[in-house]
Amino acid sequence: MAMWVFGYGSLLWNPGFEVAEQRMATLPGYARSFCMRSIHHRGTEAEPGLVLALDEVADARCDGVALRVSEGQEDTTLAYLRERELISSAYLEKMLEIGLADGRRVTAVTYVIDADHVQYCGGLPLEEQAQIIARAHGGRGPNREYLLNTAEHLHALGVADPDLDWLARRVAAISA
């Protein structure tokens, strides 16, 4: 059986594993937002950044991509993703059903926020998010780079995300 991974943030532009197939996909019941404080990759414990996570929200949907893992690479890919995504246990690994643009429904490895975790910060005003993202920097680089890469890739895929677009413009203005 094929292994699928749902990408909605950095997995869009940096999956880090061999992708055999990529399809546009939708995950119902979750919303993409900057609701996780980043203390490793895009910030520090002293000055946390923000990264995207999937927050469970009734009637929401998140558009992203389904990435099919190359056959024979499932175990290696899962180990890689767990090391990358579960670094602080703020994400929960779930097997969730997603809808592919071609009509298929598949189960995908999906990383969603643990709303009870100390790094959860859902509901921050967009201006506050922009201020944090503009200044934060972590082990994988500036927080603004993460935002801009994600926004650019969503545009390239034809996925509208008005909050990310606003944040990209605002962070660019703050950083200028």
Side-chain angles (χ1 to χ4, degrees):
M1 188 165 104
M3 178 180 162
W4 291 88
V5 177
F6 183 67
Y8 59 88
S10 63
L11 288 172
L12 297 172
W13 45 272
N14 181 24
F17 60 90
E18 193 176 319
V19 177
E21 178 183 2
Q22 177 176 313
R23 295 280 179 241
M24 295 303 299
T26 301
L27 172 66
Y30 288 85
R32 171 185 25 244
S33 68
F34 279 97
C35 64
M36 179 177 156
R37 294 190 193 284
S38 177
I39 59 173
H40 299 287
H41 298 317
R42 298 298 174 166
T44 63
E45 286 194 33
E47 192 165 2
L50 293 174
V51 290
L52 292 165
L54 292 172
D55 212 352
E56 196 165 1
V57 177
D59 299 325
R61 64 177 255 168
C62 179
D63 293 321
V65 294
L67 306 165
R68 185 169 56 81
V69 176
S70 293
E71 190 174 336
Q73 295 298 308
E74 296 87 355
D75 290 343
T76 303
T77 298
L78 196 54
Y80 164 76
L81 288 171
R82 286 175 174 164
E83 183 178 322
R84 170 181 166 167
E85 303 296 335
L86 302 179
I87 189 169
S88 68
S89 73
Y91 283 126
L92 301 172
E93 181 181 279
K94 292 192 174 189
M95 298 298 293
L96 298 174
E97 187 175 280
I98 58 174
L100 305 186
D102 63 13
R104 289 180 287 167
R105 299 202 66 73
V106 300
T107 300
V109 176
T110 307
Y111 293 95
V112 304
I113 191 71
D114 177 355
D116 293 326
H117 195 276
V118 67
Q119 286 174 253
Y120 177 71
C121 60
L124 290 178
L126 286 175
E127 179 62 30
E128 186 176 346
Q129 292 177 42
Q131 294 293 331
I132 292 168
I133 293 167
R135 70 174 185 267
H137 192 285
R140 293 205 176 167
N143 203 169
R144 68 182 171 277
E145 175 187 88
Y146 172 92
L147 163 65
L148 297 176
N149 273 336
T150 304
E152 286 173 14
H153 281 78
L154 286 171
H155 275 281
L157 293 167
V159 175
D161 192 317
D163 285 352
L164 255 66
D165 291 343
W166 186 91
L167 283 167
R169 288 191 305 274
R170 183 67 182 124
V171 168
I174 293 167
S175 301

